[in-house]
Amino acid sequence: MNSGILICFLGTLSFGLLGCASKGAERKHCQTSALVIMIYVWATLVMMIRSAGVPSPLSLPLKAVAVAVACGICSALAYTPSNSPSGSARYR
Amino acid sequence: MLGPGLYAFQFSIGFGKVSVGWLIMNISSAIPAIVSLFVYGEKLTRLKVVAFGLVLVSLYLIFLGRQAEMKSEASSTPGKTHLKWYLLMLVIFLTNGMSSYGLKVIAGWGLPETDKFPYLTVWYAAGLATVGVPTLFQHVRITVLEVGWSSIMAALSLGGQIAMAVALKLNVPGHVVFPIAIGGSVFIVILGGRFLFGERLNKLMTSGVSFGLAAIILLSLS
């Protein structure tokens, strides 16, 4: 239990530093579009590797694929409006 | 944590406080909790009522705090920037919580736990295609800088998730793990914003963030 709590706090630190790293990347003038694409690339890659480890990675039902695609596209739409020429880069 | 709100969040911190953006990302878990009341007929407990109330108070105080900031920065910051910030906060609030709702939907269908990973692969791949294709036409160049920072962020996200999973496996109850991990991360980002990036929150924003922090803890308990 005690080591569990300690690991839990490491998780807290990790997530907290993730937020700080976002601001750090912004301060270092990372291009937001490129950064976001690379985050997607890493996430897809990690999930592909993790999926390869499950017994039947290609057995996802079609309706679940549809939900995944819809949610994935929605997530991208959250990004698109800000990707216009009048996006945040102008205000840096 | 590498959810959709991250993109709007990443844009918003170019002209807003990282601590407020991070809070809104985490407070957005109220949206799927509300949707579940109607879709799954989940019970509206007192804890949830208090949490939803705190979310509203927090958002209102943050709105007032931003208004106060606008007045003090009126001459130096374009009005469009403020409008864009409000819109991005709205996008983060509405989309980030709901992004993970698909996992609840497929769990409701009784699919095996292992289907979660192929599901997330498709989820990220769909997002990558939607974001990547328009960006490709804009001839955005990806440099070592973005590759480096994105890998740090991916590692931190993965590290946080693994730590939470290990803590749960070591029999730390979920009602302890989630408030510590999620609420604690907001607290660290607030400290980071203040001491690493020199972000000062006015009194209204500070109150809003405090109420939001309480709401996040209650939401993760409910």
Side-chain angles (χ1 to χ4, degrees):
Chain A
M1 175 81 172
N2 283 342
S3 57
I5 291 282
L6 186 70
I7 290 168
C8 185
F9 275 107
L10 286 177
T12 306
L13 188 68
S14 203
F15 285 138
L17 288 178
L18 173 62
C20 295
S22 302
K23 187 72 182 180
E26 190 273 325
R27 286 282 171 96
K28 292 283 177 191
H29 302 291
C30 281
Q31 290 182 88
T32 312
S33 311
L35 187 74
V36 169
I37 283 181
M38 279 315 298
I39 290 169
Y40 262 123
V41 168
W42 288 121
T44 309
L45 204 64
V46 168
M47 281 304 147
M48 278 176 81
I49 293 166
R50 186 64 187 84
S51 297
V54 302
S56 47
L58 301 175
S59 67
L60 195 66
L62 208 58
K63 58 181 182 179
V65 172
V67 171
V69 170
C71 288
I73 290 173
C74 281
S75 80
L77 291 178
Y79 152 82
T80 308
S82 312
N83 198 26
S84 63
S86 58
S88 63
R90 270 178 55 179
Y91 304 110
R92 284 193 187 133
Chain B
M1 281 284 175
L2 289 180
L6 180 65
Y7 321 114
F9 166 76
Q10 192 62 42
F11 280 106
S12 75
I13 57 176
F15 44 91
K17 306 272 193 298
V18 65
S19 45
V20 176
W22 195 254
L23 178 92
I24 300 287
M25 267 186 87
N26 286 286
I27 219 176
S28 66
S29 57
I31 299 289
I34 291 168
V35 172
S36 291
L37 295 177
F38 299 100
V39 176
Y40 292 103
E42 285 182 3
K43 205 178 164 191
L44 183 64
T45 60
R46 280 181 192 170
L47 199 64
K48 281 182 184 168
V49 172
V50 175
F52 295 152
L54 287 174
V55 168
L56 290 176
V57 172
S58 168
L59 292 176
Y60 182 63
L61 288 171
I62 287 170
F63 172 78
L64 290 181
R66 184 69 183 185
Q67 294 275 63
E69 267 184 5
M70 279 171 70
K71 280 179 188 165
S72 61
E73 295 173 359
S75 56
S76 60
T77 314
K80 270 187 180 177
T81 309
H82 293 297
L83 181 65
K84 190 178 275 286
W85 186 83
Y86 283 125
L87 287 174
L88 286 172
M89 289 302 114
L90 191 66
V91 168
I92 295 169
F93 184 66
L94 295 178
T95 63
N96 189 53
M98 283 308 289
S99 69
S100 53
Y101 201 68
L103 280 171
K104 184 159 184 161
V105 172
I106 64 164
W109 290 338
L111 297 180
E113 176 70 12
T114 49
D115 273 356
K116 185 171 78 177
F117 302 110
Y119 168 85
L120 285 172
T121 307
V122 176
W123 190 97
Y124 280 120
L128 176 61
T130 314
V131 172
V133 171
T135 312
L136 208 66
F137 286 108
Q138 289 175 342
H139 304 291
V140 174
R141 279 188 62 204
I142 298 171
T143 65
V144 178
L145 191 70
E146 284 90 20
V147 175
W149 277 99
S150 64
S151 57
I152 291 169
M153 290 167 74
L156 287 169
S157 173
L158 199 62
Q161 288 184 40
I162 290 170
M164 273 173 69
V166 171
L168 288 168
K169 269 198 171 176
L170 289 171
N171 295 326
V172 182
H175 67 263
V176 174
V177 172
F178 295 111
I180 289 178
I182 300 168
S185 79
V186 175
F187 191 65
I188 288 175
V189 175
I190 292 168
L191 290 179
R194 174 69 186 89
F195 296 107
L196 295 176
F197 306 110
E199 289 184 348
R200 285 179 181 277
L201 298 177
N202 59 31
K203 280 181 185 171
L204 285 165
M205 285 264 195
T206 306
S207 310
V209 168
S210 306
F211 277 105
L213 203 54
I216 288 166
I217 291 168
L218 290 186
L219 282 168
S220 55
L221 289 173
S222 62

